[in-house]
């Protein structure tokens, strides 16, 4: 079984400040990890993903995340927040095909990011 | 045209009515999914399908049914809508696990 915990349903940062959105996961097999962003009245858009290889992954819009197996974490960061980053962010865990929990993603409950001018 | 198209975008229906939400994709993916999103609960899986003959229940399938009419089309039905089914519904597709999903824009359903 897989699960995802996102710490903090709401996060507020000032424009130009560091963005840190936390995600911890549980998986019985080596996980695939994803961050999605949802802007108001839109669907979910893939920000970045980790499957194998380099544990620091870079995504769109200046975001990056680091897979830390020992901490079972995949936190999302951005050095300097922009007003356009205000959205809801979802962390998700999947598994390699044929592995336990494969074929579908399990999502966290989401973190709504507000950016204060 | 969008890769994953959901219709309608918005729908208001009455309690007890049968309603169908439609999803079509041009990605050529075999795997299709229906999720519902509720504030504070994230996305929860309703049904998923790996091909026309392979339909599987997700964690919250009660009160819902699906039909995979073709590789490109996957419909979700509410047999007898209830207010508790008011939510935002997303269709998604995937080719393989490492790709993640491509999402549609969602259908906002209100049951009154």
């Amino acid at each position: 079984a897989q699960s995802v915990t996102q710490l903090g349903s709401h996060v507020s940062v000032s424009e130009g400040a560091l963005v840190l959105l936390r995600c911890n996961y549980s998986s019985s097999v080596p996980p695939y990890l994803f961050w999605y962003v949802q802007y108001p009245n839109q669907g979910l858009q893939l920000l970045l993903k980790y499957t194998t290889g380099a544990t620091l992954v870079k995504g769109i819009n200046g975001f990056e995340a680091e897979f830390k197996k020992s901490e079972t974490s995949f936190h999302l960061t951005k050095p300097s927040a922009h007003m356009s980053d205000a959205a809801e962010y979802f962390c998700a865990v999947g598994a390699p095909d044929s592995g336990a929990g494969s074929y579908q993603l399990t999502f966290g409950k989401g973190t709504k990011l507000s950016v204060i001018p | 045209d969008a890769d994953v198209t959901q219709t309608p975008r918005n729908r208001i229906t009455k309690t007890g009515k049968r309603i169908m939400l439609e999803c079509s994709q041009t990605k050529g993916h075999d795997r299709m999914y229906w999720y519902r999103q509720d504030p504070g609960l994230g996305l929860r899986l309703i049904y998923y399908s790996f091909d026309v003959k392979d339909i599987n229940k997700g964690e919250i399938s009660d009160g819902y049914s699906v039909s995979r009419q073709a590789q490109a089309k996957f419909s979700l039905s509410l047999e007898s809508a209830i207010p508790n089914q008011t939510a935002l519904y997303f269709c998604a597709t995937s080719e393989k696990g490492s790709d993640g999903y491509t999402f549609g824009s969602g259908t906002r359903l209100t049951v009154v």
Side-chain angles (χ1 to χ4, degrees):
Chain A
Q2 302 168 110
S3 66
V4 175
T5 302
Q6 292 184 238
L7 298 176
S9 58
H10 288 88
V11 171
S12 292
V13 300
S14 298
E15 191 174 17
L18 171 71
V19 176
L20 172 60
L21 304 182
R22 299 177 187 274
C23 172
N24 289 89
Y25 70 90
S26 172
S27 178
S28 58
V29 298
Y32 292 158
L33 294 161
F34 305 85
W35 275 100
Y36 285 86
V37 60
Q38 184 182 30
Y39 298 104
N41 300 313
Q42 294 187 27
L44 281 75
Q45 177 184 2
L46 182 65
L47 262 182
L48 50 78
K49 65 179 181 181
Y50 168 79
T51 54
T52 60
T55 56
L56 180 64
V57 293
K58 297 185 184 298
I60 61 173
N61 302 337
F63 285 93
E64 62 182 36
E66 186 171 11
F67 169 59
K68 292 187 176 181
K69 183 178 178 180
S70 62
E71 298 178 7
T72 61
S73 69
F74 191 58
H75 301 331
L76 182 70
T77 61
K78 182 175 180 179
S80 177
H82 192 273
M83 295 298 294
S84 61
D85 295 327
E88 191 159 19
Y89 294 79
F90 292 92
C91 182
V93 61
D97 291 351
S98 301
S102 61
Y103 304 117
Q104 65 259 25
L105 298 184
T106 299
F107 288 82
K109 294 183 178 181
T111 297
K112 191 163 290 187
L113 176 67
S114 298
V115 181
I116 304 165
Chain B
D1 287 344
D3 293 329
V4 182
T5 301
Q6 292 185 236
T7 56
R9 288 297 309 274
N10 293 281
R11 179 74 181 265
I12 300 174
T13 192
K14 294 183 178 181
T15 298
K17 293 291 187 182
R18 186 179 189 274
I19 182 170
M20 179 182 289
L21 309 183
E22 299 188 349
C23 176
S24 63
Q25 54 118 342
T26 58
K27 300 284 286 185
H29 292 165
D30 286 327
R31 303 177 191 179
M32 297 188 73
Y33 306 82
W34 277 104
Y35 282 82
R36 69 176 273 177
Q37 182 183 12
D38 299 276
L41 297 181
L43 280 79
R44 293 180 291 165
L45 182 63
I46 306 173
Y47 271 95
Y48 60 105
S49 169
F50 296 150
D51 64 38
V52 174
K53 296 182 180 180
D54 185 2
I55 306 286
N56 304 276
K57 292 182 177 181
E59 62 177 298
I60 55 163
S61 59
D62 287 349
Y64 301 94
S65 62
V66 290
S67 173
R68 184 83 183 264
Q69 301 95 324
Q71 186 206 36
K73 295 184 182 294
F74 191 36
S75 300
L76 176 72
S77 293
L78 285 67
E79 299 303 324
S80 179
I82 58 176
N84 185 263
Q85 292 175 314
T86 293
L88 186 54
Y89 290 85
F90 284 106
C91 175
T93 73
S94 175
E95 183 173 15
K96 56 186 186 294
S98 58
D99 290 341
Y101 293 166
T102 300
F103 281 89
S105 297
T107 294
R108 185 169 297 280
L109 176 67
T110 302
V111 183
V112 298

